[in-house]
Amino acid sequence: MTRIGPSIHITGAISGEEDITIHGRITGSVIVRDHTVAVAADAHIDAEVRGARVIVLGEVTGAITAADRIELGPSSNVTGTISANQVVMIEGARFNGSIDMNQRTIAVKLASYKAAHKD
């Protein structure tokens, strides 16, 4: 598992093949294909976020796509679009945007990404 600390600010693309927990600031994109992206309560993300599962406790501005599930925790503040088969919003979560739970749309987005980023 990778952890990005609260004093770290990254501008650019982050990709990998393991779970990632973000406490810092990210501007760009965070892509972990078959793993979990966790956005801690002290994190500020202005990026496209993709993973198998995405858990948000902090602030995200941008598109979030998960193959399985997106969870917005009680301290989350999300502005943008979220796409997943399952979306869970815990009481207290703040969300402004649109939700797409259409499996066909999600599959197309993930297939398009995988085709563009073949190893």
Side-chain angles (χ1 to χ4, degrees), residues 11-66:
T11 300
I14 296 172
S15 63
E17 295 297 327
E18 63 183 296
D19 294 346
I20 184 170
T21 300
I22 302 165
H23 291 270
R25 294 181 174 272
I26 308 291
T27 303
S29 64
V30 178
I31 314 288
V32 291
R33 290 183 189 182
D34 300 318
H35 299 278
T36 299
V37 177
V39 179
D42 53 347
H44 299 278
I45 312 296
D46 186 3
E48 173 187 14
V49 178
R50 290 183 186 229
R53 182 176 179 197
V54 179
I55 302 165
V56 181
L57 299 174
E59 183 178 326
V60 176
T61 301
I64 303 172
T65 303

